[in-house]
Amino acid sequence: MVETALLGEDMGASMITGEAELHKILETACGSRELMILVTPYLRFETHFLALDSAAIQARITMSAEEAIYGLQSPDLHFRFPSVTRFLEGHTRLLGYGLMEGRRTLRLAIPKTLQDDEQRRAYRVERVGKGLVTFSTPRFDLKSGRLVNISTKGAQLFYSQEPLEALLKTDDPIAVSIPLADGILINNRAIVRWVQGKTLGVEFLPTLDSEVLTPLSRWIFQRREEDKDRVGSLFVDPAPQVGKTPGMVLISSSQEVEDNLMGLLAGLPPLKRVGASMQAIKEAVATGPTLVFFHVPDAGLDGRRRLKMLVEVLAGKVPFVLLGTQVENSVLFELGNEHKAAAVYDLGAKSGAFFLRLVQGILRRHQPRSEGP
């Protein structure tokens, strides 16, 4: 359809590799304190650009120390942000912490590339509210309609009074006035790209001024991120269903660790503890658990060898988390990277709501999607 060509055309993702262009984009983002979304396969954090130096990007700390330690240490850490009409993404890693304007900051590695991760010509926001829009006709009549969707390049409008073919045709120049949330108001000239019944698609020409385009791009980016998060939440109900939702398995000899987990993970699939033996793990895995927790009570040479043998029983079929008690975080992360754990966590620390959020993220990623609406 013509509508798709205007507002959702598949243009393919573009890659930015030039160092000068990449730095210019990041400097602009820092200069405007642009919104940044930090994402791992299981978690999402909202923050803002602050500054760029030769070694790192500084970003605002908007998460707890626990979230920063166990959420941002992922080897698959990326950040996404709006840049004019593009939504860019880059791979990064947490380098540590800095100081700016008297406050601690996150120091993030500068990516070697940035990629426009939006496959379409311009992302369309469908959740636009019920506000009225105004558009003109070539005869300078003003008509009031409803906004159907919008992108940084154009919009789709609905007019209920009469078929639009009697008022407009393709390539007609018109003026549009579109109020949005957060005080965004678009008053711009546009070109009619298609007309069908009581609906029309328009392209903003000339392109929107930066005073409007920048907040519009950020507004659209935020709603796209909300859409991603909402779609990611559509997974099977974690409440136990006999024969349908297998539980989680804890590999540990500690009753205390089991009691701790039971309290932290209330409401999720049931948890079963089995001994740290290969046969016990084989029998537990045969039931098809959703997630396995390996308790790591020590990280000595014998403990590492035993952990390696036990993890190999899973053969990559089930995601697992390493739970440390009396093990240094640096060692725990080293073991997690070595064995490709979904996450690591120190149960010896004071555990908060973050751990539940982390486990929910892993389950969302690995469980089958709901077949509901």
Side-chain angles (χ1 to χ4, degrees), residues 96-117:
Y97 302 94
L99 187 66
M100 182 176 175
E101 299 173 352
R103 295 185 177 182
R104 294 187 75 195
T105 62
L106 299 172
R107 288 182 59 81
L108 302 168
I110 299 172
K112 294 182 179 179
T113 63
L114 288 173
Q115 180 171 341
D116 186 352
D117 71 337

Side-chain angles (χ1 to χ4, degrees), residues 16-57:
I16 299 167
T17 58
E19 184 176 348
E21 182 182 4
L22 191 148
H23 274 254
K24 182 179 179 181
I25 290 171
L26 294 177
E27 285 173 354
T28 300
C30 291
S32 61
R33 304 291 172 95
E34 188 55 84
L35 174 68
M36 175 196 293
I37 304 294
L38 285 164
V39 292
T40 74
Y42 314 115
L43 296 168
R44 175 181 178 276
F45 304 94
E46 186 173 305
T47 181
H48 292 270
F49 286 89
L50 289 178
L52 177 71
D53 57 42
S54 60
I57 302 166

Side-chain angles (χ1 to χ4, degrees), residues 69-194:
I69 292 171
Y70 299 107
L72 299 183
Q73 292 285 358
S74 170
D76 195 17
L77 178 65
H78 289 73
F79 66 89
R80 298 195 290 258
F81 66 102
S83 178
V84 192
T85 60
R86 296 179 295 185
F87 298 152
L88 301 179
E89 179 169 346
H91 180 267
T92 187
R93 69 182 188 280
L94 181 63
L95 300 177
Y97 302 94
L99 187 66
M100 182 176 175
E101 299 173 352
R103 295 185 177 182
R104 294 187 75 195
T105 62
L106 299 172
R107 288 182 59 81
L108 302 168
I110 299 172
K112 294 182 179 179
T113 63
L114 288 173
Q115 180 171 341
D116 186 352
D117 71 337
E118 180 52 54
Q119 297 295 317
R120 295 175 292 185
R121 182 172 180 259
Y123 186 81
R124 290 175 293 168
V125 172
E126 308 284 346
R127 297 178 295 113
V128 291
K130 298 181 179 180
L132 293 178
V133 302
T134 303
F135 62 94
S136 67
T137 71
R139 295 183 179 182
F140 304 105
D141 295 326
L142 291 180
K143 304 293 182 181
S144 294
R146 178 172 60 83
L147 182 64
V148 178
N149 62 52
I150 191 168
S151 74
T152 55
K153 296 181 179 295
Q156 182 177 331
L157 311 178
F158 177 79
Y159 180 64
S160 62
Q161 300 302 313
E162 58 185 298
L164 286 164
E165 285 90 347
L167 302 174
L168 298 165
K169 63 180 183 299
T170 301
D171 295 332
D172 274 349
I174 65 172
V176 296
S177 179
I178 304 174
L180 295 170
D182 301 333
I184 299 172
L185 176 61
I186 299 172
N187 286 313
N188 211 75
R189 296 195 299 276
I191 298 294
V192 175
R193 289 309 186 198
W194 59 270

